[in-house]
Amino acid sequence: MRAVVVTSGLFSHVVTSSGESPRARQRCGFAGAVDGARSRVHLPPGGETQSRGLWSHRCRWDELLVPVSVAAGRGGLDLRPGWTRRWTATWRTAGDEVSCMVRDLAEAPVAGGNPLRWFSWRRAQRHRPGLQFLVSTGRHHGAESLEEARLLLALDFAAGLVDVVSQPMSLRFDTVTARRGHIPDFLAVTRTGVWLIDVRPRALIEPEDLEAFAAAAEVALACGWHYTVAAEWVEHVSAAVDVFSSQRRHLSDLLALRPTLLAAARERAAFVELADAAPFPPLARAQLLHLLWHRQLGVDLGEPFGDRSVVVHPAGGE
């Protein structure tokens, strides 16, 4: 498999290895090269290609997750009439903590708040906190673990993200035996709604976690929000999104490769064939990854991403 990393050394070598104009090469041979390459790679018919699979250009972000049911934790909750007046939520804004009843939470400015819980780094800790830059917000956001960082990346990629708050609030809820607290991991505001999200690998979910998750799900339902637990990703998804993200930031296109790559992808081709048929293949790879991240092109995330992955155009073959 060919590397997808583009280095300054490769750029210098490719640009200086030929005196031919890049635009001239695109005009004269790019389309023909893709047609010739396509004959060497088996591609299914257009309808078959688009109708099956988890296509990156049109999937919802929650479709990237393996669903987790929290129903088993609901039985221990005290959901007698009036529970939305008894349960409370606390969030931080402008350095102060503010609380309200759950029944009033939907009207509260929680999304504009600050993380309720801070994290730090120390030797020998079992998780790896850090900051994840999101293109959607143009800011770094805190993540307490690698799993949370992956979640932020998926939101940035496919959620239509507007803003996200880490550790947005502290919930106080009643069970049939005691009063408990829980801090969800993220509150994400997207173009299609608000998501309250917990992150916990499936193997680490205990019964008391399910109870807390069920409580968070009830709060989200009362507010008209969505709720999910990010416990497991569909196979191959996390690796593919991570590769796409390497070119998620602004990327100049001085050689005008992007329009020709988009045009060639309308006829479907393997990733390697699109790249190799371009005037400067290493640079074309970077542009293809950039287009995949921004969902101007798509691949099947249900399959391992690599050189043989079929790249499609959203307007082609559907």
Side-chain angles (χ1 to χ4, degrees), residues 157-180:
F157 172 63
L161 191 65
V162 176
D163 205 354
V164 60
V165 181
S166 308
Q167 290 79 49
M169 69 188 77
S170 174
L171 301 176
R172 296 292 296 173
F173 61 95
D174 295 319
T175 70
V176 294
T177 58
R179 190 165 177 84
R180 291 190 54 190

Side-chain angles (χ1 to χ4, degrees), residues 3-15 247 282-283 285-286:
V4 296
V5 177
V6 178
T7 67
S8 58
L10 278 173
F11 180 88
S12 175
H13 171 74
V14 172
V15 170
Q247 301 297 333
L283 302 183
R285 285 174 173 269

Side-chain angles (χ1 to χ4, degrees), residues 29-114:
F30 184 75
V34 172
D35 289 340
R38 186 177 294 111
S39 66
R40 300 191 297 271
V41 179
H42 173 70
L43 298 177
E48 182 181 352
T49 300
Q50 294 286 349
S51 62
R52 295 203 300 263
L54 183 61
W55 290 96
S56 64
H57 61 288
R58 64 184 185 186
C59 65
R60 302 190 314 271
W61 87 268
D62 55 304
E63 292 179 319
L64 308 180
L65 291 166
V66 177
V68 173
S69 174
V70 299
R74 192 175 186 274
L77 300 178
D78 181 1
L79 293 171
R80 293 174 298 170
W83 69 269
T84 59
R85 296 192 300 272
R86 297 190 299 271
W87 293 20
T88 63
T90 301
W91 67 97
R92 178 177 286 121
T93 180
D96 296 323
E97 291 190 359
V98 183
S99 298
C100 73
M101 293 180 289
V102 165
R103 72 172 184 179
D104 301 321
L105 184 58
E107 306 301 323
V110 181
N114 305 119

Side-chain angles (χ1 to χ4, degrees), residues 217-266:
E218 293 294 333
V219 170
L221 182 62
C223 293
W225 301 340
H226 305 280
Y227 176 80
T228 193
V229 179
E232 182 182 353
W233 298 99
V234 173
E235 190 176 9
H236 310 306
V237 161
S238 187
V241 173
D242 186 58
V243 173
F244 301 164
S245 72
S246 66
Q247 301 297 333
R248 67 186 185 275
R249 303 199 190 205
H250 173 74
L251 184 65
S252 61
D253 186 23
L254 299 179
L255 301 177
L257 296 175
R258 210 171 293 167
T260 50
L261 290 170
L262 286 168
R266 286 178 177 271

